[in-house]
C-alpha cells in the first residue's frame, strides 16, 4: 500500500472518542442555513446524510419535518446522533456501517453531502457516485460541499471542481450555473473553501 492508501484507513472512531474533529464547525453549516432559508428542504421529503458523523444538520432536517437517515462507520458518532434526536424527541433512522455497501430499500429525494466525499480515498469516489445515483429518485437533489485543498494527500482530499465535473458527469447529473456555486471558507480548516452546489440527478 502507498502512504496515501494507508491514510485512507483513517481511524474516525478514535477521532470522535478523543473529540479531535476539526472538520466540525460547531453549528449548522452556513450553506445549509442558506439553502434552508431558500426553502430547499421540504417537510415530508426523504433525506440521507452519508458519513454524517456528528453533523447537526441531521437533526435540523428532522426538525424541518423530513424523514432523515444518517449513516456512519463510527458507533460513537451515531450514539451522539441518537442522543441528540432523543433529546429533541425527533425520529431519525441511523445506520452504523460502511455507507458504500449500503442499499436503502427506498430512494431519497435529497442527499446532503458534507465532508464525506473529501474524507474517503479518491479511489472510492466512483463507487460513491454510483451509490448516490442509486439512492436518489430521478430529479433528486445532491446538496454538495466540495472541499478545496490544493495540498496533496488527505483526508481531507481535494475535490477540485474539475475532478467533480468528471465524477458527476452531465449525462447523469444536472449542474447549476457557475454563478450558483458558492465558496464557503471553513474557519477551523485554515479557511479552506468548500464549494456549495446543488446537483440534480437525471
Ligand atoms: C470528516 S468526517 C465528516 C462528518 C460529518 N459529515 C460532518 O460534516 O461533521 C467524515 C465522516 O465519514 C465517516 N466515514 C468515513 N468512511 C466511511 C464509510 N465508508 N462509511 C460510513 N462512514 C464513513 C467517518 O466516520 C466520519 O464521521
Amino acid at each position: 500500500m502507498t502512504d496515501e492508501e494507508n491514510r485512507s484507513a483513517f481511524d474516525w472512531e478514535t477521532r470522535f472518542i478523543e473529540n479531535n474533529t476539526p472538520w466540525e464547525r460547531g453549528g449548522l453549516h452556513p450553506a445549509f442555513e442558506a439553502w434552508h432559508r431558500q426553502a430547499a428542504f421540504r417537510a415530508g421529503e426523504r433525506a440521507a446524510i452519508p458519513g454524517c458523523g456528528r453533523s447537526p444538520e441531521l437533526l435540523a432536517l428532522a426538525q424541518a419535518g423530513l424523514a432523515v437517515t444518517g449513516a456512519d462507520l463510527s458507533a460513537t458518532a451515531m450514539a451522539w446522533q441518537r442522543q441528540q434526536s432523543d433529546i429533541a424527541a425527533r425520529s431519525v433512522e441511523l445506520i452504523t456501517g460502511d455507507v458504500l455497501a449500503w442499499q436503502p430499500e427506498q430512494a431519497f429525494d435529497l442527499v446532503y453531502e458534507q465532508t464525506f466525499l473529501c474524507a474517503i480515498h479518491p479511489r472510492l469516489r466512483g463507487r460513491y457516485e454510483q451509490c448516490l445515483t442509486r439512492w436518489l429518485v430521478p430529479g433528486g437533489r445532491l446538496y454538495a460541499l466540495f472541499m478545496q485543498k490544493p495540498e496533496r494527500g488527505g483526508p481531507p482530499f481535494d475535490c477540485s471542481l474539475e475532478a467533480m465535473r468528471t465524477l458527476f458527469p452531465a449525462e447523469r447529473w444536472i449542474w447549476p450555473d457557475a454563478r450558483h456555486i458558492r465558496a464557503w471558507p471553513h474557519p477551523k480548516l485554515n479557511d479552506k473553501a468548500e464549494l456549495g452546489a446543488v446537483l440534480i440527478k437525471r
Side-chain angles (χ1 to χ4, degrees):
M1 265 198 181
T2 65
D3 275 350
E4 209 167 68
E5 283 168 330
N6 264 324
R7 272 199 298 273
S8 74
F10 198 76
D11 188 354
W12 297 102
E13 179 64 3
T14 300
R15 287 302 200 98
F16 284 111
I17 291 169
E18 295 178 349
N19 239 350
N20 183 6
T21 53
W23 58 85
E24 293 179 350
R25 288 174 178 255
L28 293 173
H29 197 296
F32 177 93
E33 291 183 307
W35 284 323
H36 206 353
R37 279 195 301 275
Q38 294 157 15
F41 311 125
R42 301 187 277 272
E45 288 190 311
R46 285 174 48 75
I49 308 189
C52 61
R54 298 190 299 196
S55 151
E57 290 77 11
L58 188 83
L59 180 57
L61 287 174
Q63 287 172 325
L66 287 82
V68 196
T69 303
D72 202 286
L73 285 176
S74 165
T76 300
M78 296 311 260
W80 184 93
Q81 291 287 8
R82 171 65 60 214
Q83 194 184 30
Q84 297 304 302
S85 56
D86 285 352
I87 291 168
R90 290 285 166 173
S91 164
V92 297
E93 183 186 24
L94 296 173
I95 297 184
T96 306
D98 180 0
V99 86
L100 299 175
W102 179 43
Q103 303 205 14
E105 282 172 14
Q106 217 186 320
F108 293 94
D109 300 298
L110 66 103
V111 169
Y112 182 69
E113 153 56 54
Q114 174 179 293
T115 56
F116 174 65
L117 178 56
C118 69
I120 57 175
H121 194 280
R123 70 172 181 271
L124 297 173
R125 288 179 176 177
R127 229 166 102 191
Y128 181 41
E129 190 270 339
Q130 284 169 13
C131 289
L132 290 167
T133 303
R134 273 201 319 272
W135 297 343
L136 281 168
V137 297
R141 291 108 63 202
L142 172 65
Y143 292 85
L145 290 154
F146 297 130
M147 178 68 70
Q148 303 302 291
K149 188 201 171 204
E151 307 94 314
R152 279 175 61 82
F157 294 97
D158 183 34
C159 299
S160 74
L161 214 45
E162 193 189 352
M164 295 302 99
R165 285 192 184 276
T166 304
L167 182 65
F168 297 100
E171 61 265 30
R172 287 195 291 282
W173 299 91
I174 301 169
W175 276 76
D177 282 357
R179 70 196 149 93
H180 290 131
I181 301 177
R182 174 166 171 194
W184 302 89
H186 196 312
K188 292 199 184 160
L189 294 176
N190 299 326
D191 278 343
K192 285 185 184 7
E194 291 176 281
L195 299 182
V198 188
L199 277 61
I200 313 286
K201 193 196 103 164
R202 290 190 187 276

